[in-house]
Amino acid sequence: MANATLSAPQPIQIHRPVPAPAVQGEWSVEAIQALLDKPLMDLLFEAQTVHRQHWPAGDIELATLLSVKTGGCPENCGYCPQAAEFDTGVKAEKLMEVEEVVRAAQAAKDAGATRFCMGAAWRAPKDRDIEKVSALIGAVKGLGLQTCATLGMLESHQAQALRDAGLDYYNHNLDTAPEYYTDVVSTRAYQDRLDTLQNVRNAGISVCCGGIVGMGEAPVHRAGLIAQLANLQPYPESVPINSLVRVPGTPLADSKPIDPLDFVRMIAVARITMPKARVRLSAGRQQMGEAVQALCFMAGANSIFYGDKLLVTGNPDVDADVQLLAKLGLNGHRTTTTTLDGHSHSA
């Protein structure tokens, strides 16, 4: 595990901008770096143009995230307050009961959310855990909400069981570029994440997959993350872009925050390279302020987590989000619900 204080990255030499690929699956790190290096106004214009070709103007998906099993995770992800080896004040808890989750899901729906995401701090769930989560999925689906889960690494049969229970989305982030991954976590390999994503895709579940910036990575690593995501076949239906929430007690607590406009650039490039994905303005919104969030929506973000907490870290409260969307003339998106036999999607 690397220390939070990292040596200065070497300068990135970029030559001529590389044209966008004619077909999906051809994005090079160099091409993405060229996009990130564009003048900001040009980049925003391009991203908004792409966005309006594929999505209704002003449409923002509202999703709520609940930690259904908190703390005690054996992984050592340097950003995560739920890792057992870090002293962050987060206590290990058991999996929530169905009735508790249903109450939270109903409250989220009443507040306007259309997707309900359930997170559990496991390295990899056991089959008996999958059975219990399947009951949660069925109960939340019964409320007419889209369902998403993030439970750690999955075997193929586990992914199929979640699909049979009615799961719409599975979240499993790549976090960063493969070259920087071991600076962030050492308890599993990058390929482990890719294998889980393939198991999810093979089961017919839509993929929610993104990453985190502001972890001390170099610009080339940000380009590398987008390249990994955009070149997945197919790319994720939902792409959360997170700004590191620096939690005391984690190895990355003292990381230098990302420049807000560099974060906006990440949203814009995600939109350009994955035009049909829901690009989610995710963790870190509480520190951004309204102006930066507005630029992120201009850059093509069309989904937010909605509620006062993201697993165990803070998030803008519902009233603040309602007021911000109203100021910007944006509309919370209400998704057509699916049945247990159907299959819907986004994250």
Side-chain angles (χ1 to χ4, degrees):
M1 171 68 64
N3 293 327
T5 303
L6 302 173
S7 58
Q10 295 298 311
I12 307 296
Q13 182 65 43
I14 299 297
H15 298 285
R16 298 175 55 195
V18 180
V23 296
Q24 180 185 330
E26 296 178 358
W27 285 103
S28 67
V29 173
E30 184 182 21
I32 292 171
Q33 187 68 61
L35 283 174
L36 286 168
D37 289 342
K38 274 191 166 190
L40 182 61
M41 295 301 105
D42 293 345
L43 180 61
L44 289 178
F45 180 80
E46 181 176 348
Q48 182 62 200
T49 300
V50 170
H51 181 73
R52 294 200 180 208
Q53 289 172 348
H54 297 278
W55 294 96
D59 169 85
I60 305 296
E61 179 199 56
L62 306 177
T64 294
L65 176 61
L66 176 69
S67 179
V68 297
K69 191 278 174 191
T70 301
C73 183
E75 301 279 16
N76 67 351
C77 304
Y79 52 82
C80 185
Q82 300 200 68
E85 70 175 80
F86 306 148
D87 184 11
T88 63
V90 175
K91 304 300 182 183
E93 299 176 1
K94 295 181 179 179
L95 185 69
M96 293 174 66
E97 297 295 332
V98 173
E99 294 77 13
E100 297 176 272
V101 174
V102 167
R103 283 197 298 270
Q106 184 62 60
K109 181 179 179 180
D110 292 344
T114 56
R115 183 183 305 176
F116 192 75
C117 306
M118 293 166 277
W122 288 313
R123 168 180 166 81
K126 298 178 173 60
D127 287 352
R128 65 174 180 268
D129 299 322
I130 294 294
E131 291 179 12
K132 294 176 182 177
V133 173
S134 293
L136 301 182
I137 292 167
V140 173
K141 289 285 282 189
L143 299 177
L145 288 163
Q146 286 186 340
T147 54
C148 178
T150 178
L151 315 171
M153 294 184 291
L154 291 183
E155 300 293 338
S156 57
H157 71 282
Q158 294 176 324
Q160 186 59 56
L162 293 175
R163 175 66 184 92
D164 291 344
L167 187 66
D168 296 305
Y169 281 88
Y170 194 79
N171 167 262
H172 199 63
N173 290 336
L174 291 179
D175 290 344
T176 188
E179 297 80 12
Y180 192 66
Y181 186 75
T182 55
D183 288 75
V184 177
V185 56
S186 62
T187 49
R188 60 177 161 185
Y190 208 76
Q191 188 60 49
D192 293 331
R193 292 189 178 269
L194 294 173
D195 290 346
T196 288
L197 292 174
Q198 191 59 57
N199 289 336
V200 168
R201 185 64 80 188
N202 290 345
I205 301 170
S206 293
V207 170
C208 173
C209 182
I212 307 170
V213 292
M215 299 192 294
E217 73 282 346
V220 71
H221 299 134
R222 295 172 192 164
L225 168 64
I226 297 294
Q228 286 289 318
L229 294 168
N231 291 330
L232 290 173
Q233 296 291 340
Y235 58 71
E237 289 86 351
S238 180
V239 181
I241 304 295
N242 299 272
S243 180
L244 177 67
V245 177
R246 296 170 294 157
V247 179
T250 61
L252 295 176
D254 296 324
S255 296
K256 181 181 178 181
I258 185 173
D259 184 286
L261 296 184
D262 286 341
F263 184 84
V264 173
R265 290 177 182 276
M266 286 292 290
I267 295 286
V269 174
R271 169 52 64 220
I272 292 167
T273 57
M274 294 170 278
K276 295 181 180 179
R278 284 268 181 196
V279 176
R280 173 170 296 150
L281 176 56
S282 197
R285 281 202 302 125
Q286 199 169 30
Q287 290 75 44
M288 290 178 190
E290 290 186 344
V292 174
Q293 291 185 69
L295 285 174
C296 289
F297 292 130
M298 175 63 74
N302 62 345
S303 179
I304 61 172
F305 276 124
Y306 190 63
D308 62 2
K309 186 176 284 191
L310 296 180
L311 295 180
V312 295
T313 58
N315 197 49
D317 65 34
V318 168
D319 289 342
D321 281 335
V322 169
Q323 292 173 20
L324 176 59
L325 295 178
K327 285 182 185 180
L328 300 177
L330 302 174
N331 303 304
H333 174 72
R334 294 183 179 274
T335 308
T336 302
T337 58
T338 55
T339 66
L340 289 175
D341 295 325
H343 184 57
S344 171
H345 131 119
S346 241

